[in-house]
Amino acid sequence: METDAGSTTMFHGGRLVARRLKQYGVSKLFTLSGGHLFSIYDGCRDEGIEIVDTRHEQAATFAAEGWAKVTRQPGVAALTAGPGVTNGLSAIGSALQNQSPIMVLGGRAPALRWGMGSLQEIDHIPFVAPLTKFAATAESPEAIPGLIDEALTTALAPHSGPTFIDFPLDVVFSEGEESPPAPQLPDPEAEPAATSGIDEAIALLAAAERPVIMAGTNLWWGHGEKALLELVNERRIPVFLNGLGRGCVPADHELFFARARGQALQEADVAVVIGVPMDFRLGFGGSFGEATKLIVVDRAEPLRPNPREVAAECYGGVAATLDALREGTGGLGDATGAWVIKLREIEDEKRAAELPELEDDRAPLHPMRIYHELNQFLDRDAIVIGDGGDFVSFAGKMINSFEPGCWLDPGPFGCLGSGTGYALAAKLAFPDRQVVLIVGDGAFGFGGMEFDTLARHGVNVVAVMGNNGIWALEKHPMEFLYGYSVAAELRPGTRYDEIVTTLGGYGELVEKPADLRPALERAFASGLPALVNVLQDPDVIYPRKANLA
């Protein structure tokens, strides 16, 4: 509803929300229906913003994060008051640790009756604020546009991350005046190069004989993939990738390595660490050799102190900083030739040693055989999403990424159930590309009902399940430590494919290696959200090197 009060056009609060979102180019609102949000839905309907409803608020929030991950534009979710917001908290926490720019809109009990016990009345801000960069309540309709401006600007500013606004029922249903046009949002490509550390970094790289690059998620958020590839090509530096950094150098590039990582990081004389924290995934800095000099490049200073000494810190625009390093070390010739040859020999040797597992004919299947078949089936620009424990750890090792933004996993927060939300968003953003969800049978329990969401919205994601009937990530380590395991068993051989069929999708069970590729072909040809339920050998243990702490 809108009214004309003299020369001023008034809009109800939900319409003010939607109009501001539209000005920023938001085209999708991920949500689960709730009465506190009706005004926002009405506004989105009027403004042409598609409402994508899920079966759980966690999935809606993960879909917003998935949208951000594949498009690098803010994802937006709307969660109804009280339990709607609390149901989304794990996904908000995931976005915080992944530095994913999302904005969550919350319903809220009416301000007029606050403290009197309205339905689902609770103050969200105290428990949402620690998980976000910005959290606020709209006190009036007129305040709504400015709050959205601030929330989206904050979400995108480095380090990027989630923001939250909730809207009291009486405020969002009341009318207010629209403020001036929305300001321009931060542009990562316009971020200037680091103001310090570059000269030191150039000197280190110029003298390096065994340099490496270790790049991760903030390379992607900082739009640094083109600059990285130019630096790698010109300076001939071997590169390793994790998180959203995967694909920023193609898996078949002559200077991309994966299997040689342990030895390369230990033996490097200089390591350029780009957009990736030195957390458990890098052994809290111990993955690098004691004598390795570290150059840290990131969009902003780290949220936690670096766990070991750093020789040069370069905080600023990732692309501009990498360009400066390339230009400063240009013309040095190929000083890394012998180093690259050594690492390639290690890489090739380790990949050759995997061949027996890739061709393993056992039934139930070895996870390496599953990924061997899947790799041959995937398009070069396929978006692959991992949601699980050991099964996804094998995927992280085996799935090849050739383009940026093509690999999504839960990240360091490790929250299961992210996959279906990510997949929903990825396929909506790129309907003509393959979107493949790799899911464990344990993880399916967190988001399996979202196959109903996929079916209702006509989103033909294909999922490949590793069904080993256990919580492998817990069972095997516990048995190693104690000689027994508890709370680690699932029902073996469950027909999750039949659940997907019942929800309106396509499902198929695979029990033998020879049946996997035909099943994949049928799943993709079905035009429906599909699950290929592959029985996996529960005795296969992932050779894990990182640990909890």
Side-chain angles (χ1 to χ4, degrees), residues 33 50 71 113 212 234 290 312 334 350 369 374 376 381 456 463 481:
S33 187
E50 183 181 0
T71 68
R113 294 192 182 278
V212 296
E234 198 163 307
E290 290 184 9
D334 183 8
K350 291 192 172 186
R369 177 63 185 268
L374 185 58
Q376 298 175 65
D381 65 351
R456 285 185 293 107
L481 289 171

Side-chain angles (χ1 to χ4, degrees), residues 194-427:
T195 56
S196 62
I198 289 180
D199 289 343
E200 293 89 339
I202 288 172
L204 288 167
L205 276 178
E209 296 180 353
R210 301 182 309 281
V212 296
I213 289 173
M214 181 71 236
T217 293
N218 255 6
L219 172 73
W220 173 243
W221 293 132
H223 293 245
E225 64 273 15
K226 179 175 179 290
L228 173 66
L229 195 54
E230 291 175 348
L231 173 63
V232 167
N233 286 335
E234 198 163 307
R235 187 62 179 85
R236 306 290 297 169
I237 304 176
V239 62
F240 300 85
L241 304 169
N242 73 6
L244 287 171
R246 290 171 58 117
C248 290
V249 174
D252 54 358
H253 190 284
E254 61 176 329
L255 293 169
F256 171 79
F257 297 85
R259 308 298 190 274
R261 186 175 110 166
Q263 192 163 344
L265 299 191
Q266 281 293 315
E267 296 184 11
D269 52 4
V270 174
V272 188
V273 184
I274 305 169
V276 56
M278 282 184 275
D279 57 15
F280 70 96
R281 293 168 295 179
L282 288 175
F284 308 100
S287 294
F288 301 100
E290 290 184 9
T292 305
K293 297 189 183 315
L294 301 184
I295 300 168
V296 172
V297 176
D298 212 334
R299 300 179 69 197
E301 292 189 13
L303 299 173
R304 299 181 294 266
N306 289 313
R308 60 176 284 176
E309 183 180 356
V310 173
E313 296 179 275
C314 306
Y315 302 125
V318 173
T321 300
L322 295 180
D323 283 342
L325 295 182
R326 175 178 54 80
E327 292 163 3
T329 55
L332 295 174
D334 183 8
T336 64
W339 174 234
V340 170
I341 291 171
K342 177 180 179 179
L343 294 184
R344 183 54 60 193
E345 289 174 350
I346 296 169
E347 184 84 8
D348 290 346
E349 181 181 349
K350 291 192 172 186
R351 288 185 180 271
E354 295 169 357
L355 188 59
E357 293 179 333
L358 300 179
E359 298 177 347
D360 195 310
D361 278 331
R362 77 179 67 184
L365 280 71
H366 194 295
M368 296 281 278
R369 177 63 185 268
I370 298 173
Y371 292 124
H372 178 60
E373 299 292 336
L374 185 58
N375 260 334
Q376 298 175 65
F377 191 83
L378 294 175
D379 294 338
R380 196 171 178 87
D381 65 351
I383 299 173
V384 180
I385 295 148
D387 186 8
D390 269 10
F391 188 56
V392 172
S393 296
F394 276 106
K397 178 179 180 179
M398 292 303 303
I399 293 296
N400 297 317
S401 297
F402 297 98
E403 295 188 11
C406 287
W407 170 264
L408 282 66
D409 62 27
F413 199 48
C415 186
L416 297 181
S418 60
T420 44
Y422 285 179
L424 169 67
K427 191 66 173 179

Side-chain angles (χ1 to χ4, degrees), residues 34-260:
H36 293 84
L37 303 173
F38 284 176
S39 177
I40 294 175
Y41 296 158
D42 183 63
C44 287
R45 186 173 181 271
D46 286 340
E47 296 297 329
I49 295 173
E50 183 181 0
I51 297 169
V52 183
D53 62 308
T54 64
R55 294 296 298 268
H56 195 285
E57 287 89 357
Q58 177 171 288
T61 313
F62 274 129
E65 189 192 11
W67 184 270
K69 282 187 169 187
V70 296
T71 68
R72 290 190 286 199
Q73 299 299 315
V76 183
L79 313 180
T80 199
V85 172
T86 59
N87 280 346
L89 287 180
S90 290
I92 296 172
S94 177
L96 181 69
Q97 293 207 12
N98 290 328
Q99 300 180 353
S100 301
I102 68 170
M103 180 173 67
V104 178
L105 311 177
R108 186 179 174 97
L112 181 65
R113 294 192 182 278
W114 192 258
M116 299 173 67
S118 295
L119 175 67
Q120 298 174 333
E121 178 182 313
I122 191 170
D123 187 4
H124 308 121
I125 303 302
F127 56 80
V128 173
L131 297 176
T132 60
K133 295 180 65 183
F134 171 85
T137 297
E139 304 291 347
S140 67
E142 289 80 8
I144 289 173
L147 282 174
I148 291 177
D149 294 345
E150 186 172 1
L152 286 177
T153 298
T154 303
L156 285 166
H159 294 287
S160 50
T163 57
F164 177 83
I165 309 169
D166 62 5
F167 302 88
L169 190 66
D170 45 352
V171 169
V172 81
F173 274 83
S174 299
E175 290 190 339
E177 183 179 351
E178 190 170 34
S179 56
Q184 187 172 357
L185 292 174
D187 179 6
E189 296 186 71
E191 292 170 7
T195 56
S196 62
I198 289 180
D199 289 343
E200 293 89 339
I202 288 172
L204 288 167
L205 276 178
E209 296 180 353
R210 301 182 309 281
V212 296
I213 289 173
M214 181 71 236
T217 293
N218 255 6
L219 172 73
W220 173 243
W221 293 132
H223 293 245
E225 64 273 15
K226 179 175 179 290
L228 173 66
L229 195 54
E230 291 175 348
L231 173 63
V232 167
N233 286 335
E234 198 163 307
R235 187 62 179 85
R236 306 290 297 169
I237 304 176
V239 62
F240 300 85
L241 304 169
N242 73 6
L244 287 171
R246 290 171 58 117
C248 290
V249 174
D252 54 358
H253 190 284
E254 61 176 329
L255 293 169
F256 171 79
F257 297 85
R259 308 298 190 274

